[in-house]
Amino acid sequence: MTTTGTDPARASDPARAGDPARSTATHCPYCALQCGMRLRPLPAGGPEPVEVLERPDFPVNLGALCGKGRSAAAVLRRGARLTEPLVRDAGARDKPLRPASWDEALDRVAAGLTAARRQYGPDAVGVFGGGGLTNEKAYLLGKFARVALRTANIDYNGRFCMSSAAAAHRRAFGIDRGLPFPLADVARTDCVILVGSNPAETMPPALRHFRELRENGGRLIVVDPRRTRTAELADLHLQPLPGTDLALALGLLHLLIADGRLDKDFIARRTTGFAQARAAAMAHWPEHVERLTGVPVARLAAAAAMFGDAAKGMVLTARGPEQQSKGTDTVSAWINLCLAAGKAGRPGSGYGCLTGQGNGQGGREHGQKADQLPGYRSITDPAARAHVAAVWGVDPAALPGPGRSAYELLDGLGRDGGARALLLMGSNPVVSAPRAAHVTERIRALDFLAVSDVVLSETAHLADVVLPATQWAEETGTTTNLEGRVILRRKAVDAPEGVRSDLAVLHGLAARLGVPGGFPEDPEEVFEELRRASAGGQADYAGISYDRIRDEDGVFWPCPGEDHPGTPRLFLDRFATPDGRARFAAVSHRPAAEEPDGDYPLFLTTGRVVSQYQSGAQTRRVDELNRAAPGPFVELHPALARRLGVGEGELLAVSSRRGRAVAPARVTDTIRPDTVFMPFHWGGAGRANSLTNPALDPVSRMPEFKVCAVRVERAASASAATETAATETER
């Protein structure tokens, strides 16, 4: 495989492949590819306890690993991670955290949660999870919230990632699985439209499938306001204004209709609602869409022809179109394009979402979302409540109803009617949440905060109790990758003596809260219960076992029985709707929640860089990755740089109605002149999410991370940056 930049996905090398007799087959702890790797224990006393080796037999990455995966063992170092519980003495928020025993730490957490419940009621306790938690942890965390705490207020950071695509998927197809086909199918189609995704940097090993697509004669269309490394591979790059992806999709559908490229037979046999979707699209004629998006009519026509004329085709979206206040409608418009062209429910065709977080798929299936129960069941469905309650041995009436979505939960912290105590596992909202300075203020307003994590993140620094959790190499558990393939991470090495798993944390807390049964520490025991709880649901894991996953290198859900082969490809016979037909959505373009004006004349969009991951809490502790990506930056066009009178590396201040961030300029002609880009991996002065807009999609409750209005000016000095960081954190 061809390498990409400073963080290449390295092709399989037999000399680097692990000896099965001396190494453990497992998976990467980072993105939703969940790349296969092997871990070989190293002699005690070295800097790292294991060595990462390639695993050429896993079909998603075939041995290729990006720099994050290759260096993952560095976070196991003692100096990089937590190795003992930490507490802050009661009433001493201004004092530092100090080491404590596990009994003291768990007693403090139980007391803090109990005090909030007694004073304000059960919903005064909040639970915030993460898309990196294993299925077992996500499942047990949801059960803990609803059975041990009896709170409705549980949600997770996956709400910030895939929720709009999930809502649109359910709206159109009746079920949400990121990719309804294996990732390898990408190389076997004829045309892919890749919308708001940059796998060359976000998941480099996936790039091989897009390269193979091109080598096989297929065409690649990339939609992105930036000319990314992925866009440079495309046959056609459409560079729309941020926040106009919905208009773009509608314009392409208009052209399919006008140019006679519809699959009328497919529409008649396998869909409903086309007449209304057609009427909405016809209001978005090419010249109008050009004015809205900035994409020339000729390029719109070329894209429509390229996709419409292909025998097979796919549309794949990521956070670009999804992290918008109209993200669900935007994804629905791209799904409409697939349905109108007959490119869904057939081999080699379909719509898919490139899930971001490591277990972003499984993490939303089994109960840590505010509105869901295990198996992707609705918490308001009486039959779903009865089924899950029977597995849990509780009265269905005792289960809480839906709670607040992620940002709404964070926004209500410390307020009347909101959570006054919070248990947080595997998330870092001080860096990752929109309007981050405000979220930091709300976290500080809590009566009590407990954080369970691998590292002392920016959020953990604010906690009353910090619990050190085991990492991927130190525990066994399942995750579900972006294809819907349930895989098994296997324990390869013991954790340091002072570290426990999140399952052990929940077990210990449940006992202290008077619920001694139902919270096992053994992950396989938890998974066996998850199988029963998910049985009959949309995300049905009933036929999946640890043994099957080991034998088959992962099993695709739904898999309702042990004799069922799993479902690599959904929708080939029917869609998961009551009538078996896919549903068009009649959607129309509307502006972003915040558009540029005289005070804030530019667009800001945010995203990732190849050598860091999410909030950077783990990757920023790896020297190799920090050398490649040492800090935040502001990417801007040379024309804008000339207008501001700044050069490469000079400090820029970026301001929005919510805050200010300061970072060096990175001048490049790969971005639109009316747009600036910032990566979101850092806190402090360069925290991009100090600027972002928490305006929510009305369906998915996804915040509008991907577009807001900003002002950019030269920063007065480096000291101003430091001052700004302190001010933002203290608000």
Side-chain angles (χ1 to χ4, degrees):
M1 177 177 172
T2 304
T3 60
T4 306
T6 57
D7 189 33
R10 187 166 54 190
S12 177
D13 175 1
R16 291 281 305 164
D19 176 359
R22 300 180 55 230
S23 59
T24 300
T26 189
H27 297 269
C28 179
Y30 292 118
C31 83
L33 289 180
Q34 288 297 278
C35 290
M37 59 170 56
R38 301 194 76 89
L39 300 179
R40 181 166 60 197
L42 294 174
E48 296 165 11
V50 294
E51 179 184 14
V52 174
L53 302 169
E54 293 170 2
R55 185 180 161 196
D57 59 325
F58 188 64
V60 174
N61 63 309
L62 299 175
L65 294 171
C66 74
K68 294 184 290 292
R70 289 199 315 272
S71 63
V75 188
L76 297 170
R77 294 172 180 166
R78 275 193 166 268
R81 52 90 57 85
L82 292 164
T83 56
E84 59 186 347
L86 303 172
V87 302
R88 205 181 307 274
D89 290 328
R93 280 272 174 92
D94 57 334
K95 299 292 176 60
L97 292 158
R98 62 167 175 82
S101 69
W102 269 98
D103 280 340
E104 180 186 4
L106 291 175
D107 288 347
R108 283 283 305 278
V109 176
L113 302 179
T114 299
R117 290 172 64 198
R118 284 177 177 164
Q119 186 169 357
Y120 303 104
D123 287 346
V125 177
V127 177
F128 200 88
L133 300 181
T134 62
N135 290 319
E136 292 80 1
K137 293 178 182 182
Y139 169 81
L140 210 64
L141 187 63
K143 181 181 179 182
F144 178 80
R146 293 169 176 122
V147 173
L149 296 174
R150 301 292 176 93
T151 182
N153 281 324
I154 174 172
D155 212 83
Y156 83 128
N157 63 15
R159 179 78 68 173
F160 296 159
C161 295
M162 291 75 59
S163 57
S164 291
H169 233 138
R170 291 196 303 274
R171 176 192 277 177
F173 306 127
I175 195 171
D176 161 44
R177 198 179 85 186
L179 291 183
F181 41 73
L183 184 62
D185 283 6
V186 168
R188 304 185 187 110
T189 192
D190 298 314
C191 182
V192 171
I193 303 179
L194 187 61
V195 189
S197 177
N198 181 19
E201 298 205 53
T202 59
M203 45 180 66
L207 208 61
R208 67 181 305 127
H209 301 291
F210 295 95
R211 291 188 185 279
E212 287 178 20
L213 166 75
R214 299 289 311 283
E215 291 164 2
N216 293 340
R219 314 294 291 276
L220 176 63
I221 302 168
V222 171
V223 179
D224 200 306
R226 304 164 63 222
R227 192 173 73 248
T228 63
R229 292 173 180 170
T230 304
E232 289 173 352
L233 299 176
D235 296 279
L236 181 63
H237 175 208
L238 307 182
Q239 202 165 2
L241 209 61
T244 63
D245 307 272
L246 175 51
L248 181 62
L250 287 163
L252 294 178
L253 179 54
H254 179 110
L255 285 164
L256 286 190
I257 296 167
D259 295 342
R261 289 189 168 94
L262 299 179
D263 188 330
K264 294 180 181 178
D265 177 65
F266 179 87
I267 292 170
R269 286 189 304 105
R270 300 201 60 189
T271 74
T272 62
F274 176 66
Q276 295 85 351
R278 175 193 175 106
M282 295 314 289
H284 295 78
W285 61 95
E287 292 78 12
H288 178 48
V289 171
E290 178 179 322
R291 287 193 294 273
L292 291 172
T293 66
V295 178
V297 169
R299 297 183 77 78
L300 294 171
M306 196 178 292
F307 186 70
D309 290 344
K312 298 176 291 183
M314 298 175 179
V315 173
L316 305 177
T317 69
R319 307 302 79 75
E322 298 162 17
Q323 287 181 325
Q324 298 184 27
S325 60
K326 53 182 182 293
T328 302
D329 284 357
T330 300
V331 174
S332 290
W334 288 104
I335 292 174
N336 286 351
L337 190 71
C338 285
L339 296 177
K343 294 178 173 62
R346 292 172 169 172
S349 290
Y351 163 78
C353 162
L354 295 177
T355 303
Q357 293 193 77
N359 198 29
Q361 180 68 53
R364 67 183 185 261
E365 295 169 359
H366 297 302
Q368 63 172 336
K369 279 185 75 177
D371 53 355
Q372 287 178 197
L373 291 170
Y376 228 130
R377 289 180 161 92
S378 169
I379 200 167
T380 60
D381 178 1
R385 294 170 65 87
H387 174 86
V388 174
V391 174
W392 289 351
V394 299
D395 183 345
L399 295 177
R404 301 182 181 192
S405 71
Y407 180 77
E408 292 165 304
L409 192 160
L410 294 171
D411 183 48
L413 297 178
R415 301 180 192 271
D416 290 345
R420 309 303 290 257
L422 183 69
L423 172 63
L424 188 148
M425 279 190 171
S427 186
N428 187 19
V430 165
V431 176
S432 64
R435 197 184 173 197
H438 170 73
V439 168
T440 302
E441 176 186 312
R442 300 316 322 149
I443 289 172
R444 288 183 180 277
L446 284 165
D447 296 347
F448 180 81
L449 172 64
V451 173
S452 180
D453 209 333
V454 170
V455 298
L456 191 64
S457 69
E458 286 84 352
T459 305
H461 269 289
L462 304 180
D464 297 284
V465 178
V466 180
L467 304 172
T470 49
Q471 299 195 52
W472 101 109
E474 302 161 346
E475 60 186 14
T476 293
T478 61
T479 63
T480 306
N481 80 345
L482 79 173
E483 311 164 297
R485 186 195 304 256
V486 185
I487 54 96
L488 185 65
R489 293 181 185 169
R490 298 169 175 88
K491 179 178 176 179
V493 65
D494 289 333
E497 187 176 344
V499 176
R500 295 185 184 179
S501 75
D502 289 315
L503 298 181
V505 168
L506 296 174
H507 174 86
L509 289 177
R512 285 167 170 80
L513 294 171
V515 188
F519 294 91
E521 298 183 49
D522 177 66
E524 190 165 6
E525 187 177 346
V526 176
F527 189 79
E528 289 300 305
E529 183 178 302
L530 182 159
R531 292 174 65 189
R532 298 196 302 275
S534 73
Q538 288 189 339
D540 192 336
Y541 285 30
I544 304 175
S545 66
Y546 276 27
D547 286 341
R548 276 197 70 177
I549 297 171
R550 291 187 189 100
D551 292 344
E552 300 173 29
D553 230 345
V555 181
F556 290 87
W557 72 261
C559 183
E562 293 183 3
D563 58 348
H564 191 282
T567 314
R569 295 171 182 85
L570 295 170
F571 314 139
L572 297 184
D573 300 316
R574 68 189 310 275
F575 295 97
T577 56
D579 61 3
R581 292 169 173 260
R583 297 173 292 217
F584 280 91
V587 296
S588 295
H589 174 72
R590 58 186 186 273
E594 182 181 74
E595 300 260 310
D597 57 20
D599 293 327
Y600 299 93
L602 298 167
F603 286 100
L604 169 72
T605 191
T606 64
R608 285 170 49 186
V609 298
V610 67
S611 293
Q612 300 289 351
Y613 180 71
Q614 302 300 85
S615 76
Q618 295 186 43
T619 52
R620 284 187 277 117
R621 286 165 168 80
V622 179
D623 292 342
E624 174 189 338
L625 301 178
N626 284 333
R627 285 193 295 271
F633 57 86
V634 182
E635 187 177 281
L636 73 165
H637 192 274
L640 177 57
R642 286 193 297 271
R643 201 158 74 236
L644 296 172
V646 297
E648 182 76 17
E650 292 187 62
L651 281 178
L652 289 175
V654 184
S655 303
S656 76
R657 290 178 174 85
R658 290 153 296 281
R660 185 171 183 262
V662 179
R666 181 172 294 182
V667 182
T668 173
D669 64 1
T670 61
I671 193 167
R672 294 177 57 101
D674 50 17
T675 301
V676 295
F677 166 85
M678 290 188 71
F680 54 65
H681 308 292
W682 289 271
R687 182 174 58 186
N689 280 319
S690 295
L691 308 167
T692 48
N693 191 354
L696 300 180
D697 179 286
V699 179
S700 68
R701 316 308 288 168
M702 166 77 84
E704 192 156 59
F705 285 99
K706 277 294 180 281
V707 52
C708 70
V710 296
R711 179 175 62 248
V712 181
E713 32 195 4
R714 298 182 67 165
S717 65
S719 61
T722 307
E723 227 172 75
T724 300
T727 302
E728 292 283 277
T729 304
E730 289 165 6
R731 277 190 205 166

